[in-house]
Amino acid sequence: MNRCRSSFVGMTIAALVLVSAAVANAQPVDFVRDIQPIFAAHCHECHGPDLRESGLRTDDRGSLLKGGDRGMPAVVPGKPGESLLLELVRSDDPDSRMPPDGDRLTPEQVRLLSRWIEQGAEFPDGDADSIQHWSFQPLRKPDLPADSENQHPIDAFIGRELHKTGLQLSEPAERHTLVRRLFFDLTGLPPAPADVQAFASAADRDVAWEALVEQLLASPRYGERWAQHWLDIIRWAETVGFETNLERPNAWPYRDWVIAALNADKPYDDFLFAQIAGDTSGEDAALGFLVAGPANLPGQIGRDEEAMRQARQDELDEVIRTVSQSIFALTLDCARCHSHKFDPLTQRDYYAMQATFAGLQYGDRRLRGGLNDEWTSQVPQVRERLQTLREELEALRIRHALQPPLTEIQAETFEPVEARAVRMRIHATGNGAAASLYEFEAWSTAHGGESSVNVALAENGATPSASSFALANQTRHFDNLVDGSVDQRQAFPWVSAAGGPAWIRIDFPKSTHIDRTVWHRGESIPADYDIDVLPPSSDEWITVLDSRRRLPRTDDARHAASVRLTGLDSESIAEVMEKTAAIRSTQQTLNRVSAGPQVYAASFIDEPEDTWLLRRGDPMQRVDIVVPSVPEVLRRAVASAAIRRNDGTPAVSASARRNRTFDGQSRVVPTAVAIPANLSVASEVSRRLALAEHAVRPDHPLTARVIVNRIWQSHFGTGLVDTPSDFGRMGSRPTHPELLDWLAADFVEHGWSLKRLHRQIVTSDTFRQSSRPNADALQVDAGSRLLWRFPPRRLEAEAIRDAILTVSGKLNMTMGGPGFDLFNQRGGLSDYVPKETFDDAGWRRMIYAHKIRMQAVDIFGSFDCPDAGQMTPQRTRSITPLQSLSLLNSPFANRQAEFFAERVRTETGDDLLAQVNRSFVLALSRPPTNEESLRMIELAETHGLEQVCRVLVNTSEFLFLQ
């Protein structure tokens, strides 16, 4: 009885203990009471506000969520098992446990941390992390300011902010100023006098303005103007950059694609989609976006594992920079070596984005379209022609008893001969270049049980010499001939110092019998040569073989008169060389039409290698495999966001998807590349499709805001956010956040139309107001950020050059195709000599100039024309003496001033007053004042009309957008 009573009491006590524990676990953990003391006592000394070792702060929820330098979150709300913080406080490893010194956390403290994480890891002031930064907030369309029924939406928002500071919009600008402003703004060119006169004399200013806006938006000049802004952002150029800076000959189709897309008002979501996944819709040129940045050529990369991994990391980093900064205005590239110091971007986010592009390759790819189809149809006919020519050449070879042509690695045997040295006398190469070989081998005869040995190897005692060797950035010495290295990715060839006859010689350590030589072609291939041996007891060389009994290779471009073939007269040699030339030409044609038109753009392999998170970004310190994904903060930001109308209803469905278009035809994304839920097993193309579809979601918090801000910046000189490629914590907050959101939401609502956005901006009174300063307003807002006036600014370099050519009458309006040259060469590291004079091709718009990376453009480089070495989301606008000196004295500007004067004389005759008036109207869109007329007539009388024109293109009024 007592025993039963005792058991019952024990069971009751145990049950009460379990119930108490369950009740305790069910109660919320209080951060201030339970968690903050743990962090303060054990963590803040190293991970607090004053010191954040490993990039982690335990006093900031955002830092805990994104993690530190390890690239993984320290805390995953609701998932204790995935939270690194718990792993470290539980660890017994002295190298990783936390805290590293002092008392360990008690089991109860660890349980509290685990429960706190399981219950959401809340801080007392709510979700106070970086994810609440303004740019990650859902994009909602705010209400227009009160009493704005009859106002333009932009003017309503701008006016409200001005009213708060006691300011107001300035009066409208003068009509000729407005026309000039609009032309340069939308087309980058000055207006024709007739356009200025038509607007100046219009009875209804608003109607005339709207008509002019439509005229310019429909002009092909619009795309040329606005494409340059995009190319600046992604630092597009036509050379590779870095040490060699060699040309990318087929890069220009991307530039043309951007211009055409803008002129067609391609919806911006389609514009972005094509640049990430254009291979799914046939827009191959659009993929030039992904490889717009610099990248080392394969020959610049060492062949050791570390060098190759590092180069690959650098390539993909350029892609991540392009995508994250241009589309999202996020500096994700800062998380390459450690989690971002300021924004909620982890190192794991960086490598998850890298995994998206793991299959990407730099280089040329096929450019599909009408020209490609035309070339493809020619392939069978060209291939048949080539086969016929080859059969005819083979018949000639047999008729003349010639041996087959030389190969890339040529081995030849002869009767065994004892020799103490061997030499090769090269009389000519097939392409006329300097003689060159990677390796030369001489093999001993095998006898008895001994095998044949390459007695020409340096390690076997051989000594090389040559007629000469080239001096280059890497060795081209004759020692390379006998070093035993034939891997052309690592070895270097011997190269003669100059074209023409050359010789090489190999001396053996002792006389030996040889019966075979082998040579490996270098930078050129021998076409006419003799192989000689030197007997042990004689100084007379003996020729053991020559090349003149062989049919010339089809890449042998020598003139027939210089070719020697044993047993053939000059007429027969000419017949042979004519046939090889025909084969060479036809083969080139077949290669071209088979490959199709090419564009320098991203191509992709179907099964990319795994992507690894790298400790401190070191490619040799792999931590673990990362699956492709967009950054966690963006996934969370779009999870429940939706654009709203004023009444609260969705403006655009978050799941809405337009069919993508190609060549004007609507096409759906093929079902074969449907995006799987699990991207870790996704195909290469599905990874990019997932990113593209994420970027163009109508409810994305960044995509529309970023491009609207860029467009605003290009109209007013400064964006509503003045850090256009950094919407993170280190960027600026918008001066007019509600205006930015209203414009972005409206932009998406109306089909992502860039032209409509331009129309909206330039039809506002804010855009059309005067740029004149106001002393009182300058005291309040010296930078005109509140837009109480139109902010005047200097024109960009391209607009200045194009404007000079326009007023001189020499601007060539030819669009598209390969660019013209501003320098004497199209690639290389140095020795660029700027061209001083140009023909008609060089008078095209400057956007069609061949863009060389890291090279300032002569006189226009001083006008802050970027060199594409870095992304340029916002150009500097310097004012320097060099600008005036360059423009005033450059041969280009002075020659155009002469053409300008010729044009004026042709249009006005010999009347000097009429000439001066016409010069002003052409250059400045207005007639001169009386004082200006008097002074310019005096200048023309003394120094000629050319000097009047020279002065005008150097005035601030010509160079500035008022």
Side-chain angles (χ1 to χ4, degrees):
M1 180 76 178
N2 290 338
R3 183 180 301 169
C4 291
R5 184 186 298 253
S6 176
S7 296
F8 175 77
V9 171
M11 291 171 62
T12 302
I13 293 172
L16 288 172
V17 169
L18 290 173
V19 169
S20 298
V23 170
N25 285 332
Q27 292 176 347
V29 176
D30 184 276
F31 178 84
V32 175
R33 181 193 66 211
D34 302 321
I35 303 302
Q36 194 171 42
I38 299 174
F39 285 157
H42 297 279
C43 307
H44 286 358
E45 182 179 355
C46 298
H47 302 285
D50 299 323
L51 182 63
R52 44 195 288 175
E53 288 190 7
S54 302
L56 180 68
R57 286 179 60 173
T58 52
D59 66 327
D60 177 73
R61 186 173 188 266
S63 182
L64 287 169
L65 293 182
K66 74 176 183 178
D69 294 347
R70 291 184 179 229
M72 57 189 70
V75 168
V76 180
K79 299 179 179 180
E82 298 179 16
S83 297
L84 180 62
L85 176 66
L86 285 178
E87 178 185 332
L88 296 180
V89 299
R90 288 169 172 161
S91 174
D92 293 323
D93 185 348
D95 293 330
S96 63
R97 72 184 188 187
M98 290 292 154
D101 303 308
D103 296 335
R104 306 295 306 281
L105 268 63
T106 65
E108 178 58 26
Q109 288 174 323
V110 173
R111 280 194 294 271
L112 282 170
L113 285 175
S114 178
R115 287 173 49 214
W116 174 66
I117 294 170
E118 187 173 19
Q119 292 171 13
E122 296 295 333
F123 269 45
D125 55 348
D127 195 13
D129 58 55
S130 299
I131 296 174
Q132 293 304 306
H133 187 63
W134 70 267
S135 65
F136 299 124
Q137 295 308 296
L139 179 59
R140 304 190 186 282
K141 194 171 185 180
D143 292 332
L144 291 171
D147 303 323
S148 61
E149 280 188 30
N150 298 319
Q151 270 191 300
H152 191 290
I154 289 175
D155 299 330
F157 283 106
I158 296 294
R160 184 176 65 183
E161 296 306 309
L162 288 174
H163 180 73
K164 292 177 182 178
T165 57
L167 300 177
Q168 60 183 2
L169 293 177
S170 297
E171 71 280 0
E174 295 176 317
R175 291 199 179 193
H176 79 271
T177 300
L178 275 179
V179 176
R180 184 175 175 83
R181 180 187 299 172
L182 188 67
F183 264 80
F184 273 113
D185 192 58
L186 292 183
T187 71
L189 298 173
D195 293 308
V196 179
Q197 180 58 36
F199 183 69
S201 60
D204 190 320
R205 173 180 177 270
D206 290 338
V207 171
W209 182 256
E210 291 175 4
L212 190 57
V213 169
E214 295 307 316
Q215 171 191 328
L216 298 184
L217 288 176
S219 167
R221 313 282 82 84
Y222 157 80
E224 294 171 330
R225 166 63 161 169
W226 284 85
Q228 188 62 65
H229 296 306
W230 184 252
L231 299 183
D232 278 1
I233 294 165
I234 65 172
R235 44 81 173 87
W236 176 85
E238 295 177 82
T239 61
V240 301
F242 296 118
E243 288 82 2
T244 58
N245 206 25
L246 295 179
E247 182 186 6
R248 292 172 172 173
N250 296 316
W252 59 266
Y254 173 75
R255 173 247 290 150
D256 286 359
W257 179 87
V258 173
I259 293 172
L262 294 177
N263 276 332
D265 198 20
K266 190 179 188 70
Y268 183 66
D269 57 342
D270 286 349
F271 180 75
L272 291 183
F273 184 93
Q275 293 180 85
I276 298 173
D279 48 326
T280 66
S281 60
E283 294 177 275
D284 303 291
L287 296 170
F289 165 78
L290 294 175
V291 292
N296 274 312
L297 294 170
Q300 296 173 267
I301 301 168
R303 304 315 298 175
D304 58 290
E305 185 71 15
E306 183 174 1
M308 290 189 289
R309 285 191 190 180
Q310 185 65 54
R312 181 58 175 164
Q313 287 298 310
D314 291 343
E315 284 184 349
L316 293 176
D317 184 66
E318 295 293 343
V319 179
I320 292 171
R321 285 171 186 262
T322 301
V323 173
S324 65
Q325 292 190 36
S326 66
I327 298 175
F328 304 123
L330 294 177
T331 54
L332 180 59
D333 51 291
C334 291
R336 178 177 178 178
C337 303
H338 51 72
S339 291
H340 203 291
K341 297 297 186 184
F342 306 102
D343 296 334
L345 299 167
T346 67
Q347 194 183 16
R348 186 168 293 273
D349 286 331
Y350 175 91
Y351 289 101
M353 178 76 83
Q354 187 185 102
T356 301
F357 296 107
L360 180 144
Q361 304 292 317
Y362 283 69
D364 287 349
R365 65 172 291 136
R366 197 181 194 108
L367 181 60
R368 289 171 289 176
L371 184 59
N372 176 69
D373 296 341
E374 178 185 339
W375 286 12
T376 301
S377 68
Q378 298 173 14
V379 169
Q381 180 181 356
V382 178
R383 184 176 287 128
E384 182 179 347
R385 168 66 176 158
L386 181 61
Q387 181 61 31
T388 299
L389 290 169
R390 284 175 172 165
E391 291 172 357
E392 292 172 354
L393 181 62
E394 177 64 11
L396 284 176
R397 186 188 74 80
I398 294 172
R399 185 201 311 169
H400 297 298
L402 293 172
Q403 295 175 330
L406 297 166
T407 60
E408 306 285 293
I409 302 174
Q410 183 64 33
E412 296 186 278
T413 59
F414 44 85
E415 289 297 321
V417 58
E418 187 175 5
R420 56 190 173 96
V422 63
R423 75 178 179 186
M424 181 178 187
R425 289 178 289 136
I426 302 173
H427 308 293
T429 58
N431 60 3
S436 176
L437 297 174
Y438 263 96
E439 193 79 3
F440 187 90
E441 304 168 5
W443 292 83
S444 65
T445 56
H447 58 86
E450 296 180 1
S451 60
S452 182
V453 175
N454 177 13
V455 293
L457 270 177
E459 66 183 44
N460 290 333
T463 305
S465 57
S467 54
S468 65
F469 62 91
L471 298 176
N473 59 332
Q474 291 110 0
T475 176
R476 298 294 187 266
H477 197 265
F478 44 76
D479 285 347
N480 298 335
L481 289 165
V482 295
D483 61 7
S485 178
V486 295
D487 184 348
Q488 296 187 14
R489 297 172 302 174
Q490 300 183 30
F492 296 109
W494 160 74
V495 181
S496 179
W503 57 263
I504 62 169
R505 171 174 172 166
I506 314 294
D507 285 274
F508 310 139
K510 62 180 181 180
S511 296
T512 185
H513 284 82
I514 61 173
D515 63 358
R516 179 164 56 104
T517 58
V518 180
W519 53 259
H520 300 247
R521 71 161 295 171
E523 295 178 2
S524 64
I525 188 166
D528 186 348
Y529 63 84
D530 291 277
I531 303 291
D532 306 326
V533 298
L534 188 62
S537 57
S538 172
D539 292 332
E540 297 292 328
W541 290 89
I542 300 172
T543 300
V544 294
L545 62 90
D546 65 58
S547 60
R548 293 179 289 280
R549 293 175 177 81
R550 291 190 176 277
L551 181 71
R553 291 167 54 97
T554 55
D555 60 0
D556 190 333
R558 290 177 295 163
H559 191 276
S562 65
V563 175
R564 299 185 296 171
L565 293 176
T566 301
L568 275 69
D569 57 22
S570 60
E571 185 177 337
S572 298
I573 291 174
E575 184 182 14
V576 169
M577 297 308 292
E578 182 181 347
K579 195 66 67 178
T580 59
I583 290 175
R584 183 168 62 252
S585 175
T586 306
Q587 182 66 63
Q588 291 170 349
T589 300
L590 181 60
N591 293 343
R592 178 174 58 83
V593 297
S594 297
Q598 298 290 298
V599 57
Y600 189 89
S603 55
F604 310 94
I605 56 176
D606 292 334
E607 297 182 3
E609 295 182 354
D610 289 334
T611 297
W612 293 79
L613 188 147
L614 305 177
R615 182 171 288 109
R616 300 187 182 278
D618 184 348
M620 302 306 289
Q621 296 191 57
R622 293 177 167 177
V623 179
D624 58 351
I625 294 175
V626 178
V627 299
S629 176
V630 297
E632 172 67 19
V633 64
L634 296 183
R635 296 203 305 274
R636 293 173 60 189
V638 302
S640 59
I643 302 175
R644 302 282 175 179
R645 293 195 181 96
N646 294 342
D647 61 4
T649 60
V652 181
S653 169
S655 61
R657 295 289 183 270
R658 278 204 315 277
N659 292 346
R660 305 299 163 191
T661 59
F662 174 55
D663 285 349
Q665 301 298 316
S666 178
R667 299 184 181 183
V668 298
V669 177
T671 55
V673 291
I675 304 167
N678 181 9
L679 283 178
S680 63
V681 296
S683 66
E684 188 285 326
V685 69
S686 295
R687 300 177 182 190
R688 287 182 291 111
L689 283 170
L691 174 63
E693 290 292 350
H694 165 85
V696 301
R697 286 178 60 109
D699 54 356
H700 199 286
L702 287 172
T703 307
R705 281 179 174 135
V706 169
I707 189 59
V708 164
N709 186 65
R710 294 193 192 281
I711 298 297
W712 186 275
Q713 170 187 284
S714 296
H715 283 293
F716 291 100
T718 306
L720 296 169
V721 180
D722 64 10
T723 53
S725 284
D726 188 357
F727 273 32
R729 274 187 171 182
M730 294 305 289
S732 301
R733 296 186 69 85
T735 55
H736 299 74
E738 288 192 317
L739 172 58
L740 177 61
D741 280 10
W742 191 93
L743 287 171
D746 189 72
F747 175 62
V748 177
E749 279 183 35
H750 291 88
W752 304 76
S753 168
L754 289 169
K755 285 190 176 182
R756 183 181 181 278
L757 177 60
H758 289 301
R759 187 182 298 113
Q760 219 170 16
I761 291 173
V762 300
T763 55
S764 68
D765 288 342
T766 303
F767 179 84
R768 293 186 289 180
Q769 64 183 320
S770 171
S771 63
R772 289 195 182 95
N774 175 297
D776 293 335
L778 286 170
Q779 290 292 323
V780 177
D781 179 26
S784 304
R785 293 301 310 281
L786 297 178
L787 295 172
W788 52 269
R789 67 165 176 162
F790 181 84
R793 64 184 185 274
R794 181 178 49 72
L795 293 170
E796 302 95 325
E798 294 87 348
I800 294 172
R801 188 180 192 271
D802 293 350
I804 292 173
L805 288 166
T806 300
V807 300
S808 73
K810 295 298 182 181
L811 184 62
N812 179 352
M813 293 295 195
T814 302
M815 297 181 68
F820 67 91
D821 293 317
L822 290 170
F823 296 92
N824 65 319
Q825 63 192 59
R826 288 192 157 217
L829 185 60
S830 60
D831 301 325
Y832 288 92
V833 178
K835 297 180 70 173
E836 295 186 345
T837 58
F838 299 85
D839 57 13
D840 182 66
W843 292 333
R844 299 172 69 193
R845 296 199 68 175
M846 194 169 166
I847 194 171
Y848 296 116
H850 181 79
K851 185 68 174 179
I852 298 173
R853 205 181 302 276
M854 304 187 303
Q855 183 62 44
V857 180
D858 196 21
I859 63 172
F860 297 102
S862 63
F863 287 95
D864 306 304
C865 183
D867 65 2
Q870 298 291 333
M871 302 174 81
T872 311
Q874 184 174 28
R875 292 194 186 188
T876 55
R877 291 193 293 272
S878 62
I879 307 292
T880 68
L882 185 59
Q883 294 168 351
S884 297
L885 291 170
S886 297
L887 197 59
L888 189 65
N889 298 307
S890 76
F892 169 80
N894 279 278
R895 189 179 184 209
Q896 293 305 317
E898 293 172 1
F899 291 140
F900 186 4
E902 289 177 12
R903 174 187 180 182
V904 170
R905 291 191 190 98
T906 301
E907 294 180 1
T908 63
D910 297 329
D911 184 271
L912 203 52
L913 177 59
Q915 291 175 355
V916 169
N917 285 341
R918 186 63 174 173
S919 300
F920 267 76
V921 169
L922 287 170
L924 307 181
S925 302
R926 66 169 179 84
T929 64
N930 290 335
E931 183 179 358
E932 288 170 337
S933 290
L934 291 174
R935 292 195 175 194
M936 288 302 182
I937 289 173
E938 181 181 353
L939 177 61
E941 289 174 338
T942 307
H943 298 287
L945 183 61
E946 290 79 6
Q947 297 310 310
V948 172
C949 295
R950 182 186 182 199
V951 167
L952 286 175
V953 299
N954 278 272
T955 59
S956 293
E957 191 171 350
F958 183 83
L959 300 173
F960 275 73
L961 191 64
Q962 302 291 341

